Amino acid sequence: MKRIKPWKMILLVTMVLSVFTACSNQGDDASNATSSTNGEATDNLAPPDPLGKYPKLVTVTEVLGYNAPEDSRTPKGIKPEENAYFKDLKEMMNIEVKYKWTVPSSQYDQKFALAMASGDLPDILELDPKNFEKLKSQDMLADLTDAYKQYGSPVLKEYMESDDGFAMKTFESEGKQLAIPSFEDPFLSAQLLWIRKDWLDNLNLQAPKTMDELEKVAEAFVKNDPDQNGKDDTYGIAAQKSLFFWGFDLRGFFNGFGAYPSMGDAQSAWIKDTEGKLIPGLIQPEVKNALGKLQSWYQNGILDKEFALKDENKSVEDITAGKVGISYGEWWYPNWPLNLNMDKDPKANWIAVQIPGMEGPGKTLVSKIRIGKLFAVNKKSKNPEAAIKLINFYIEMGKKQYRDKNQSANGYVYNWFNPRITDPAQIDTIYTEVNKALEAKQQEITLDDGNYKDTADVFKATTDYLAGDTSNASKGVNWGQYFSRAAKDGGWGMTRQLKENKAFVNNEFYGIPTASQVDKGTQLDKLMQESFTKIIMGAPLDEFDKFVASWKSLGGDQITQEVNEWYTKEAK
Amino acid sequence: MRHKQSISRKLFIVFNTLLLAGITILSIIPFIHLLSISLSSNTAASAGEVRLWPVGFTFDAYVYLGEKVEFFRSLWVSVKRVVLGTIVNLFLVFITAYPLSKTNDRFKFRTLYVWFFAITMFFGGGLIPTYIVVKNTGLIDSILSLILPGALNVWNMVLLLNFFRSIPKELDEAATIDGAGHWTILWKIYLPVSLPSIATIGLFTIVGHWNAWFDGILYLNSPDKYPLQTYLSTLIMSMNAQMSSISIEQIKAMENLSEKTLKTAQIFMGALPIMIVYPFLQKYFVKGIIVGSVKE
Amino acid sequence: MRTLKKEYLLHLMLIPGVIVTLIYAYGPMAGLVMAFQQFEPLSGFFKSKFVGLDNFRYVFQLPDFGQVLWNTVIISVIKMVLFLIVPLVLALLLNEVTKQWFSRIIQSAVFLPFFLSWTVLGGIIIELFSLNGAVNGLLTNIGFKPIMFMLDNQWFRGIIIGSDVWKGMGYNMIVMLAVIIGINSTLYEAAEIDGAGRWKQMVHITLPSMAPILILLAVLSLGSILNAGFEQILIMYNPTVYEGADVIDTFVYRLGMFSQQFGPAAAVGLFKSVISLVLVSSTYYAAYKYNGYRIF
């Protein structure tokens, strides 16, 4: 007996100790690393040349959330660390990128939280605004002000100033630039109405301009066998269980009623009232009107009886299968999933129109700023300017002179390369350049800057589509490229029109979620989803008033106050 | 056992056979569905038109699958994981269950140990603390990170412990009188008589290792080290539902996701190897082993 | 002295299991402090702010918590009962099958759905029970009105429970089969000489022999009384059935979507652990006191 007890104790103590030291390790790590950086930070400095080569090899660490390579011509089984960009990078700048880890993008948040918790962050950080805020508050981000000024290439600076520095300013703190944002044109998320032209023609109907016309068209699409297959197998308008989402949802429909409930981020949208205050779009009376209409549409079969159990994949199936011919959606619909429908049914033909409103085309809801992700540098990093140089490098590689080399087939996987900043106005550049080349009947586009590659790809698909050439890709895929980005009456073409006609309303709130939004957001979202779905499926319309009361008392009022505090402080 | 059967017995057998056949069909349906999708044309599959029979029959998906380096790479990782993991797990479960199957008068600290293990069935530290421990024991990015943290499955251990208890005490006692120690009893007596239960637990262990995918995401740092189910999960994971807007790049990714037949072919092929394991283990499910050894 | 020496070996056998459990199960439990912290990954366990019971208060006061807790308990209790009864009946019926090959095919088939993830199965089940699905097709054929199964709170719960039992029944069935196989066949021979029919043999021999494993499975399943099946419900539910199918885990999952709220999640985890520990240990002692049976 007595002989056993001591070793058990020893074992226990060592185990417990090892666990404790394990947990406290991270603190030490941090202090070690900072002290070692100061020593050698200076001896590797190159003169401020955006594309210059370091005299000595500089290694920077990154992490990567990746999607599969887009192009099927990419070499089989290639790994992120084998990306061909890295070879050029080493030759051109003498920089080597090492991945601490790579993970499928759907798991990136999870893995990044673990990295933060274990104090194991890379040099270059790809962040969302929330994580940016966290790292900022812990003072873990390097000041990029000088690095950007000295090393930022003219093209990069041009990109950043394209919105008068609005996006850059969002990530500045006490005069320090802490991140370089990758932002896009906010109109990329403006909704249009997509509609099957061949069905309209079959039934001798015009594309709808008002809500009443839309109702008539949708009713005809339900009852009059628009696909002429002799079967009652179609419904009117695509909808799914999330009423406000990133696609196949009903944001545009609500907008048509002058209602601006949400951008699809499970929060209310915020619009300016007459006194210049922000009010939650979600609880305005226009929303009630829109819900009333949806209720009657559910009744008479314009909405699918089971829309409430569909997700985006199911909606895509319905569109592809030709079960539905009307869907609210953004400019990119032709790219996916309309192209699938085109390939399945050679007769299918989709057009885009501005969203129908009460008395004519309605105004769509658009955010003020559209930030995908941002790039920051770990304070412990020895070469913060390397991040800027990497951005320069990527923009440079898009130029015409690298076109022959820079092909997926050669192992260049662009969507694995970070930090990657593209022209915020790229979509517009593509649109104008391709149209210019088409009108002048050129064989090639004339542009030569960082947008070359993407523009050339769209131009190729466009000419292939117009010539009926399907040797490179299917008709649907070529059409998708053409009709989303280049066609004047296509996705981006129509979006440009609504931009020019000022047919939009801004969502005025673009800060990070306020304290109450974080605390109460989930509850409020559940409340909204439950009430709205039930109303559409036949609950009394006055349930909406109850919803508004609950929404306010369960935290909505508090959020409204916080959002307005932010507004007075930040936005003016 | 061969007696003449009464009418009610015959009726029962007919009913029983039909019922079990029905359940069998119900259980196979999803696999038939998956197989049909994988053998259909991509357009039919993405329009959701395939039910239990291929539409636009084609082997295309399997031809592509043959070129999928990732699939075979991760299949190999899975095989390594299952073999290594099952050996470690079974060994640990076996030698842990044995002492704990003794009665309290033969092993005083039994209850203490049992609760020491049982507590872990209810309490866990959660994702982050577990990750930190795994990291600090140096297992990150190694296949051991998929094996060691769960090396002792308490649930299986309790199961085996209960199986051990049903072994007649006379066996133990006879062996002790013959002068055999615990070690000998464990390997020479317990092992042979408990083959059916070890086969059961072995099956659960194999299946557990085969099906696990999340630990791969957490502990491995590059996709080329992923076991098969981790790799497959990356194919079917839908996009983050909380995205407020979709970026140009994500749309292009969505386009790729529409390769539904190839995805389905991989899911189907991913389940195949493990389906073969069970029939193989079934030969250990033989009646009368215990009785046989008592008679010896 | 003799026993001491023998016990020493028993301790020795437990060392590997104890070490692994200490490191990988008890080590991370330090993370339970998160339940009392406003945990922030960047600050770690040592620098995060302690907030006492705030996390618990926050979760318990959330307006729907009562409803969600009730949903969880009702769904998991029904699942629990069915997970005992259905596999038991299956195992007993299988035991009556005299043709080995048929028995083996059924065993394999019933186990199959276990290999498919809910991401894959969820879609198939939703399709099966939708208005145009096979089930409604069957209903309309025999003259019933079609039912919107997935949009009705009562039906939806039934489908959640039924499909989970269907997917997982093979697991417990195999445990039970292994027990049935281990029953001393001389018992049956003796009963047959006494003229007992199959039914009587089952009631008087098979079931009593299975009692220990049934008690074990029942008691241990109590440990998961607050786990109603997270992944399954998350994939299959929709806003219309939140009322009847939103459970603790889906609720916490949505809490975490806005910003990763580690504190409340850890608090709920701890709450669940304590409840299961209390339930399991009290039934453990009850089984021991009234039946003289030790589960572990």
Side-chain angles (χ1 to χ4, degrees), chain B residues 100-104 110 114 158-169 190, chain C residues 212 216 284 293-296:
Chain B
L100 300 183
S101 71
K102 300 290 162 201
T103 47
N104 277 38
R110 199 199 78 91
V114 160
V158 170
L159 216 55
L160 190 64
L161 176 169
N162 276 273
F163 279 125
F164 278 171
R165 279 200 190 135
S166 66
I167 295 175
K169 288 215 175 54
Y190 273 54
Chain C
L216 169 77
Y284 172 94
Y293 178 68
R294 277 190 193 278
I295 292 145
F296 317 136

PDB file of all heavy atoms in Angstrom, chain B residues 100-104 110 114 158-169 190, chain C residues 212 216 284 293-296:
ATOM      1  N   LEU B 100     -10.493  -3.103 -13.503  1.00  0.00           N
ATOM      2  CA  LEU B 100     -11.727  -2.490 -13.008  1.00  0.00           C
ATOM      3  C   LEU B 100     -12.894  -3.466 -13.001  1.00  0.00           C
ATOM      4  O   LEU B 100     -13.940  -3.180 -12.419  1.00  0.00           O
ATOM      5  CB  LEU B 100     -12.076  -1.269 -13.857  1.00  0.00           C
ATOM      6  CG  LEU B 100     -11.007  -0.169 -13.869  1.00  0.00           C
ATOM      7  CD1 LEU B 100     -11.473   1.022 -14.672  1.00  0.00           C
ATOM      8  CD2 LEU B 100     -10.650   0.265 -12.457  1.00  0.00           C
ATOM      9  N   SER B 101     -12.713  -4.610 -13.654  1.00  0.00           N
ATOM     10  CA  SER B 101     -13.797  -5.582 -13.632  1.00  0.00           C
ATOM     11  C   SER B 101     -13.739  -6.462 -12.390  1.00  0.00           C
ATOM     12  O   SER B 101     -14.629  -7.269 -12.139  1.00  0.00           O
ATOM     13  CB  SER B 101     -13.746  -6.454 -14.886  1.00  0.00           C
ATOM     14  OG  SER B 101     -12.628  -7.314 -14.810  1.00  0.00           O
ATOM     15  N   LYS B 102     -12.664  -6.320 -11.615  1.00  0.00           N
ATOM     16  CA  LYS B 102     -12.551  -7.091 -10.370  1.00  0.00           C
ATOM     17  C   LYS B 102     -13.545  -6.569  -9.346  1.00  0.00           C
ATOM     18  O   LYS B 102     -13.933  -5.395  -9.379  1.00  0.00           O
ATOM     19  CB  LYS B 102     -11.124  -6.953  -9.808  1.00  0.00           C
ATOM     20  CG  LYS B 102     -10.050  -7.453 -10.742  1.00  0.00           C
ATOM     21  CD  LYS B 102     -10.108  -8.942 -10.854  1.00  0.00           C
ATOM     22  CE  LYS B 102      -9.361  -9.403 -12.102  1.00  0.00           C
ATOM     23  NZ  LYS B 102      -9.761 -10.738 -12.541  1.00  0.00           N
ATOM     24  N   THR B 103     -13.928  -7.423  -8.425  1.00  0.00           N
ATOM     25  CA  THR B 103     -14.830  -6.958  -7.370  1.00  0.00           C
ATOM     26  C   THR B 103     -14.040  -6.100  -6.385  1.00  0.00           C
ATOM     27  O   THR B 103     -12.808  -6.157  -6.325  1.00  0.00           O
ATOM     28  CB  THR B 103     -15.455  -8.143  -6.623  1.00  0.00           C
ATOM     29  OG1 THR B 103     -14.412  -9.055  -6.317  1.00  0.00           O
ATOM     30  CG2 THR B 103     -16.517  -8.798  -7.467  1.00  0.00           C
ATOM     31  N   ASN B 104     -14.785  -5.317  -5.606  1.00  0.00           N
ATOM     32  CA  ASN B 104     -14.126  -4.388  -4.689  1.00  0.00           C
ATOM     33  C   ASN B 104     -13.239  -5.074  -3.656  1.00  0.00           C
ATOM     34  O   ASN B 104     -12.235  -4.514  -3.230  1.00  0.00           O
ATOM     35  CB  ASN B 104     -15.163  -3.551  -3.959  1.00  0.00           C
ATOM     36  CG  ASN B 104     -15.587  -2.381  -4.798  1.00  0.00           C
ATOM     37  OD1 ASN B 104     -15.714  -2.531  -6.017  1.00  0.00           O
ATOM     38  ND2 ASN B 104     -15.762  -1.233  -4.188  1.00  0.00           N
ATOM     39  N   ARG B 110     -10.713   0.146  -6.749  1.00  0.00           N
ATOM     40  CA  ARG B 110     -11.518   0.044  -7.962  1.00  0.00           C
ATOM     41  C   ARG B 110     -12.479   1.222  -8.141  1.00  0.00           C
ATOM     42  O   ARG B 110     -12.469   1.920  -9.152  1.00  0.00           O
ATOM     43  CB  ARG B 110     -12.316  -1.260  -7.917  1.00  0.00           C
ATOM     44  CG  ARG B 110     -12.814  -1.717  -9.247  1.00  0.00           C
ATOM     45  CD  ARG B 110     -13.937  -2.686  -9.071  1.00  0.00           C
ATOM     46  NE  ARG B 110     -15.161  -1.970  -8.758  1.00  0.00           N
ATOM     47  CZ  ARG B 110     -16.014  -1.559  -9.699  1.00  0.00           C
ATOM     48  NH1 ARG B 110     -15.783  -1.831 -10.949  1.00  0.00           N
ATOM     49  NH2 ARG B 110     -17.090  -0.891  -9.377  1.00  0.00           N
ATOM     50  N   VAL B 114     -12.646   3.964 -11.055  1.00  0.00           N
ATOM     51  CA  VAL B 114     -13.784   3.972 -11.962  1.00  0.00           C
ATOM     52  C   VAL B 114     -14.367   5.369 -12.070  1.00  0.00           C
ATOM     53  O   VAL B 114     -14.641   5.862 -13.171  1.00  0.00           O
ATOM     54  CB  VAL B 114     -14.854   2.966 -11.497  1.00  0.00           C
ATOM     55  CG1 VAL B 114     -16.187   3.307 -12.123  1.00  0.00           C
ATOM     56  CG2 VAL B 114     -14.453   1.569 -11.881  1.00  0.00           C
ATOM     57  N   VAL B 158     -16.099   0.890 -20.285  1.00  0.00           N
ATOM     58  CA  VAL B 158     -17.186   0.464 -19.397  1.00  0.00           C
ATOM     59  C   VAL B 158     -17.935  -0.713 -19.999  1.00  0.00           C
ATOM     60  O   VAL B 158     -18.308  -1.660 -19.305  1.00  0.00           O
ATOM     61  CB  VAL B 158     -18.144   1.647 -19.129  1.00  0.00           C
ATOM     62  CG1 VAL B 158     -19.397   1.176 -18.422  1.00  0.00           C
ATOM     63  CG2 VAL B 158     -17.456   2.710 -18.313  1.00  0.00           C
ATOM     64  N   LEU B 159     -18.123  -0.652 -21.293  1.00  0.00           N
ATOM     65  CA  LEU B 159     -18.798  -1.749 -21.981  1.00  0.00           C
ATOM     66  C   LEU B 159     -18.016  -3.059 -21.802  1.00  0.00           C
ATOM     67  O   LEU B 159     -18.569  -4.094 -21.418  1.00  0.00           O
ATOM     68  CB  LEU B 159     -18.886  -1.392 -23.467  1.00  0.00           C
ATOM     69  CG  LEU B 159     -20.123  -1.802 -24.226  1.00  0.00           C
ATOM     70  CD1 LEU B 159     -21.370  -1.278 -23.555  1.00  0.00           C
ATOM     71  CD2 LEU B 159     -20.041  -1.264 -25.647  1.00  0.00           C
ATOM     72  N   LEU B 160     -16.729  -2.994 -22.040  1.00  0.00           N
ATOM     73  CA  LEU B 160     -15.903  -4.189 -21.948  1.00  0.00           C
ATOM     74  C   LEU B 160     -15.837  -4.698 -20.512  1.00  0.00           C
ATOM     75  O   LEU B 160     -15.900  -5.906 -20.262  1.00  0.00           O
ATOM     76  CB  LEU B 160     -14.490  -3.891 -22.467  1.00  0.00           C
ATOM     77  CG  LEU B 160     -13.605  -5.129 -22.646  1.00  0.00           C
ATOM     78  CD1 LEU B 160     -14.179  -6.041 -23.718  1.00  0.00           C
ATOM     79  CD2 LEU B 160     -12.180  -4.743 -23.010  1.00  0.00           C
ATOM     80  N   LEU B 161     -15.745  -3.755 -19.605  1.00  0.00           N
ATOM     81  CA  LEU B 161     -15.725  -4.094 -18.176  1.00  0.00           C
ATOM     82  C   LEU B 161     -16.966  -4.920 -17.820  1.00  0.00           C
ATOM     83  O   LEU B 161     -16.896  -5.915 -17.094  1.00  0.00           O
ATOM     84  CB  LEU B 161     -15.677  -2.774 -17.433  1.00  0.00           C
ATOM     85  CG  LEU B 161     -15.714  -2.500 -15.956  1.00  0.00           C
ATOM     86  CD1 LEU B 161     -15.368  -1.042 -15.781  1.00  0.00           C
ATOM     87  CD2 LEU B 161     -17.016  -2.792 -15.320  1.00  0.00           C
ATOM     88  N   ASN B 162     -18.096  -4.522 -18.370  1.00  0.00           N
ATOM     89  CA  ASN B 162     -19.326  -5.261 -18.099  1.00  0.00           C
ATOM     90  C   ASN B 162     -19.329  -6.632 -18.775  1.00  0.00           C
ATOM     91  O   ASN B 162     -19.851  -7.594 -18.231  1.00  0.00           O
ATOM     92  CB  ASN B 162     -20.543  -4.448 -18.518  1.00  0.00           C
ATOM     93  CG  ASN B 162     -20.953  -3.482 -17.426  1.00  0.00           C
ATOM     94  OD1 ASN B 162     -21.721  -3.847 -16.536  1.00  0.00           O
ATOM     95  ND2 ASN B 162     -20.417  -2.280 -17.459  1.00  0.00           N
ATOM     96  N   PHE B 163     -18.747  -6.683 -19.952  1.00  0.00           N
ATOM     97  CA  PHE B 163     -18.615  -7.987 -20.607  1.00  0.00           C
ATOM     98  C   PHE B 163     -17.732  -8.901 -19.754  1.00  0.00           C
ATOM     99  O   PHE B 163     -18.043 -10.062 -19.537  1.00  0.00           O
ATOM    100  CB  PHE B 163     -17.981  -7.834 -21.991  1.00  0.00           C
ATOM    101  CG  PHE B 163     -18.940  -7.405 -23.058  1.00  0.00           C
ATOM    102  CD1 PHE B 163     -18.692  -6.297 -23.831  1.00  0.00           C
ATOM    103  CD2 PHE B 163     -20.098  -8.138 -23.293  1.00  0.00           C
ATOM    104  CE1 PHE B 163     -19.566  -5.911 -24.820  1.00  0.00           C
ATOM    105  CE2 PHE B 163     -20.984  -7.757 -24.289  1.00  0.00           C
ATOM    106  CZ  PHE B 163     -20.708  -6.633 -25.052  1.00  0.00           C
ATOM    107  N   PHE B 164     -16.621  -8.348 -19.274  1.00  0.00           N
ATOM    108  CA  PHE B 164     -15.686  -9.124 -18.452  1.00  0.00           C
ATOM    109  C   PHE B 164     -16.386  -9.713 -17.236  1.00  0.00           C
ATOM    110  O   PHE B 164     -16.103 -10.810 -16.809  1.00  0.00           O
ATOM    111  CB  PHE B 164     -14.515  -8.243 -17.992  1.00  0.00           C
ATOM    112  CG  PHE B 164     -13.441  -8.088 -19.030  1.00  0.00           C
ATOM    113  CD1 PHE B 164     -12.408  -7.178 -18.858  1.00  0.00           C
ATOM    114  CD2 PHE B 164     -13.453  -8.861 -20.181  1.00  0.00           C
ATOM    115  CE1 PHE B 164     -11.411  -7.040 -19.804  1.00  0.00           C
ATOM    116  CE2 PHE B 164     -12.455  -8.716 -21.141  1.00  0.00           C
ATOM    117  CZ  PHE B 164     -11.434  -7.797 -20.948  1.00  0.00           C
ATOM    118  N   ARG B 165     -17.293  -8.919 -16.678  1.00  0.00           N
ATOM    119  CA  ARG B 165     -17.951  -9.377 -15.461  1.00  0.00           C
ATOM    120  C   ARG B 165     -18.805 -10.605 -15.697  1.00  0.00           C
ATOM    121  O   ARG B 165     -19.070 -11.370 -14.785  1.00  0.00           O
ATOM    122  CB  ARG B 165     -18.844  -8.268 -14.933  1.00  0.00           C
ATOM    123  CG  ARG B 165     -18.068  -7.244 -14.165  1.00  0.00           C
ATOM    124  CD  ARG B 165     -19.048  -6.535 -13.309  1.00  0.00           C
ATOM    125  NE  ARG B 165     -18.436  -5.373 -12.714  1.00  0.00           N
ATOM    126  CZ  ARG B 165     -19.010  -4.190 -12.655  1.00  0.00           C
ATOM    127  NH1 ARG B 165     -20.220  -4.041 -13.144  1.00  0.00           N
ATOM    128  NH2 ARG B 165     -18.392  -3.196 -12.096  1.00  0.00           N
ATOM    129  N   SER B 166     -19.280 -10.747 -16.936  1.00  0.00           N
ATOM    130  CA  SER B 166     -20.135 -11.903 -17.191  1.00  0.00           C
ATOM    131  C   SER B 166     -19.320 -13.171 -17.392  1.00  0.00           C
ATOM    132  O   SER B 166     -19.869 -14.249 -17.541  1.00  0.00           O
ATOM    133  CB  SER B 166     -21.019 -11.636 -18.418  1.00  0.00           C
ATOM    134  OG  SER B 166     -20.200 -11.550 -19.558  1.00  0.00           O
ATOM    135  N   ILE B 167     -17.997 -13.037 -17.384  1.00  0.00           N
ATOM    136  CA  ILE B 167     -17.156 -14.239 -17.476  1.00  0.00           C
ATOM    137  C   ILE B 167     -17.247 -14.973 -16.145  1.00  0.00           C
ATOM    138  O   ILE B 167     -17.053 -14.375 -15.085  1.00  0.00           O
ATOM    139  CB  ILE B 167     -15.699 -13.851 -17.781  1.00  0.00           C
ATOM    140  CG1 ILE B 167     -15.619 -13.212 -19.173  1.00  0.00           C
ATOM    141  CG2 ILE B 167     -14.796 -15.064 -17.694  1.00  0.00           C
ATOM    142  CD1 ILE B 167     -14.246 -12.675 -19.513  1.00  0.00           C
ATOM    143  N   PRO B 168     -17.551 -16.251 -16.171  1.00  0.00           N
ATOM    144  CA  PRO B 168     -17.742 -17.005 -14.920  1.00  0.00           C
ATOM    145  C   PRO B 168     -16.510 -16.899 -14.018  1.00  0.00           C
ATOM    146  O   PRO B 168     -15.379 -17.008 -14.482  1.00  0.00           O
ATOM    147  CB  PRO B 168     -17.932 -18.439 -15.409  1.00  0.00           C
ATOM    148  CG  PRO B 168     -18.331 -18.324 -16.828  1.00  0.00           C
ATOM    149  CD  PRO B 168     -17.757 -17.068 -17.351  1.00  0.00           C
ATOM    150  N   LYS B 169     -16.747 -16.663 -12.730  1.00  0.00           N
ATOM    151  CA  LYS B 169     -15.658 -16.502 -11.770  1.00  0.00           C
ATOM    152  C   LYS B 169     -14.803 -17.757 -11.667  1.00  0.00           C
ATOM    153  O   LYS B 169     -13.629 -17.685 -11.334  1.00  0.00           O
ATOM    154  CB  LYS B 169     -16.226 -16.166 -10.397  1.00  0.00           C
ATOM    155  CG  LYS B 169     -16.782 -14.761 -10.329  1.00  0.00           C
ATOM    156  CD  LYS B 169     -16.541 -14.155  -8.961  1.00  0.00           C
ATOM    157  CE  LYS B 169     -16.999 -12.713  -8.942  1.00  0.00           C
ATOM    158  NZ  LYS B 169     -18.402 -12.552  -9.386  1.00  0.00           N
ATOM    159  N   TYR B 190      -8.961 -14.307 -20.538  1.00  0.00           N
ATOM    160  CA  TYR B 190      -9.952 -13.279 -20.876  1.00  0.00           C
ATOM    161  C   TYR B 190      -9.997 -12.982 -22.377  1.00  0.00           C
ATOM    162  O   TYR B 190     -11.057 -12.835 -22.952  1.00  0.00           O
ATOM    163  CB  TYR B 190      -9.663 -11.986 -20.102  1.00  0.00           C
ATOM    164  CG  TYR B 190     -10.299 -11.966 -18.740  1.00  0.00           C
ATOM    165  CD1 TYR B 190     -10.060 -12.998 -17.839  1.00  0.00           C
ATOM    166  CD2 TYR B 190     -11.137 -10.935 -18.350  1.00  0.00           C
ATOM    167  CE1 TYR B 190     -10.650 -12.999 -16.588  1.00  0.00           C
ATOM    168  CE2 TYR B 190     -11.732 -10.912 -17.104  1.00  0.00           C
ATOM    169  CZ  TYR B 190     -11.481 -11.953 -16.221  1.00  0.00           C
ATOM    170  OH  TYR B 190     -12.058 -11.943 -14.996  1.00  0.00           O
TER     171      TYR B 190
ATOM    172  N   PRO C 212     -28.263  -6.644 -17.072  1.00  0.00           N
ATOM    173  CA  PRO C 212     -27.144  -5.742 -16.722  1.00  0.00           C
ATOM    174  C   PRO C 212     -26.813  -4.750 -17.835  1.00  0.00           C
ATOM    175  O   PRO C 212     -26.661  -3.555 -17.578  1.00  0.00           O
ATOM    176  CB  PRO C 212     -25.974  -6.712 -16.506  1.00  0.00           C
ATOM    177  CG  PRO C 212     -26.584  -8.013 -16.218  1.00  0.00           C
ATOM    178  CD  PRO C 212     -27.886  -8.052 -16.946  1.00  0.00           C
ATOM    179  N   LEU C 216     -27.119  -0.727 -17.789  1.00  0.00           N
ATOM    180  CA  LEU C 216     -25.946   0.086 -18.110  1.00  0.00           C
ATOM    181  C   LEU C 216     -26.264   1.113 -19.196  1.00  0.00           C
ATOM    182  O   LEU C 216     -26.009   2.303 -19.054  1.00  0.00           O
ATOM    183  CB  LEU C 216     -24.805  -0.830 -18.581  1.00  0.00           C
ATOM    184  CG  LEU C 216     -23.620  -0.102 -19.198  1.00  0.00           C
ATOM    185  CD1 LEU C 216     -22.766   0.526 -18.122  1.00  0.00           C
ATOM    186  CD2 LEU C 216     -22.791  -1.030 -20.060  1.00  0.00           C
ATOM    187  N   TYR C 284     -26.918   5.438 -10.658  1.00  0.00           N
ATOM    188  CA  TYR C 284     -25.881   4.440 -10.377  1.00  0.00           C
ATOM    189  C   TYR C 284     -26.078   3.887  -8.972  1.00  0.00           C
ATOM    190  O   TYR C 284     -26.107   2.674  -8.755  1.00  0.00           O
ATOM    191  CB  TYR C 284     -24.512   5.110 -10.520  1.00  0.00           C
ATOM    192  CG  TYR C 284     -23.322   4.280 -10.075  1.00  0.00           C
ATOM    193  CD1 TYR C 284     -22.618   3.522 -10.998  1.00  0.00           C
ATOM    194  CD2 TYR C 284     -22.908   4.274  -8.754  1.00  0.00           C
ATOM    195  CE1 TYR C 284     -21.514   2.778 -10.607  1.00  0.00           C
ATOM    196  CE2 TYR C 284     -21.805   3.530  -8.350  1.00  0.00           C
ATOM    197  CZ  TYR C 284     -21.119   2.787  -9.271  1.00  0.00           C
ATOM    198  OH  TYR C 284     -20.033   2.051  -8.878  1.00  0.00           O
ATOM    199  N   TYR C 293     -26.392  -3.978  -8.180  1.00  0.00           N
ATOM    200  CA  TYR C 293     -25.664  -4.022  -9.425  1.00  0.00           C
ATOM    201  C   TYR C 293     -24.810  -2.779  -9.632  1.00  0.00           C
ATOM    202  O   TYR C 293     -25.281  -1.649  -9.549  1.00  0.00           O
ATOM    203  CB  TYR C 293     -26.656  -4.149 -10.586  1.00  0.00           C
ATOM    204  CG  TYR C 293     -25.964  -4.159 -11.901  1.00  0.00           C
ATOM    205  CD1 TYR C 293     -25.162  -5.236 -12.247  1.00  0.00           C
ATOM    206  CD2 TYR C 293     -26.049  -3.081 -12.760  1.00  0.00           C
ATOM    207  CE1 TYR C 293     -24.469  -5.236 -13.427  1.00  0.00           C
ATOM    208  CE2 TYR C 293     -25.356  -3.076 -13.943  1.00  0.00           C
ATOM    209  CZ  TYR C 293     -24.577  -4.149 -14.273  1.00  0.00           C
ATOM    210  OH  TYR C 293     -23.883  -4.138 -15.442  1.00  0.00           O
ATOM    211  N   ARG C 294     -23.547  -3.001  -9.891  1.00  0.00           N
ATOM    212  CA  ARG C 294     -22.659  -1.880 -10.183  1.00  0.00           C
ATOM    213  C   ARG C 294     -22.490  -1.718 -11.682  1.00  0.00           C
ATOM    214  O   ARG C 294     -22.135  -2.670 -12.375  1.00  0.00           O
ATOM    215  CB  ARG C 294     -21.284  -2.118  -9.552  1.00  0.00           C
ATOM    216  CG  ARG C 294     -21.210  -1.737  -8.109  1.00  0.00           C
ATOM    217  CD  ARG C 294     -19.762  -1.768  -7.663  1.00  0.00           C
ATOM    218  NE  ARG C 294     -19.681  -1.711  -6.207  1.00  0.00           N
ATOM    219  CZ  ARG C 294     -19.749  -0.583  -5.526  1.00  0.00           C
ATOM    220  NH1 ARG C 294     -19.901   0.554  -6.152  1.00  0.00           N
ATOM    221  NH2 ARG C 294     -19.673  -0.597  -4.218  1.00  0.00           N
ATOM    222  N   ILE C 295     -22.741  -0.502 -12.131  1.00  0.00           N
ATOM    223  CA  ILE C 295     -22.696  -0.278 -13.578  1.00  0.00           C
ATOM    224  C   ILE C 295     -21.255  -0.173 -14.077  1.00  0.00           C
ATOM    225  O   ILE C 295     -20.889  -0.798 -15.063  1.00  0.00           O
ATOM    226  CB  ILE C 295     -23.465   0.995 -13.926  1.00  0.00           C
ATOM    227  CG1 ILE C 295     -24.927   0.721 -13.659  1.00  0.00           C
ATOM    228  CG2 ILE C 295     -23.258   1.384 -15.357  1.00  0.00           C
ATOM    229  CD1 ILE C 295     -25.669   1.895 -13.157  1.00  0.00           C
ATOM    230  N   PHE C 296     -20.483   0.575 -13.361  1.00  0.00           N
ATOM    231  CA  PHE C 296     -19.077   0.662 -13.797  1.00  0.00           C
ATOM    232  C   PHE C 296     -18.266  -0.361 -13.019  1.00  0.00           C
ATOM    233  O   PHE C 296     -18.373  -0.458 -11.823  1.00  0.00           O
ATOM    234  CB  PHE C 296     -18.466   2.038 -13.553  1.00  0.00           C
ATOM    235  CG  PHE C 296     -19.318   3.202 -13.903  1.00  0.00           C
ATOM    236  CD1 PHE C 296     -19.403   4.273 -13.050  1.00  0.00           C
ATOM    237  CD2 PHE C 296     -20.015   3.244 -15.099  1.00  0.00           C
ATOM    238  CE1 PHE C 296     -20.163   5.375 -13.368  1.00  0.00           C
ATOM    239  CE2 PHE C 296     -20.783   4.345 -15.419  1.00  0.00           C
ATOM    240  CZ  PHE C 296     -20.861   5.412 -14.542  1.00  0.00           C
TER     241      PHE C 296
END
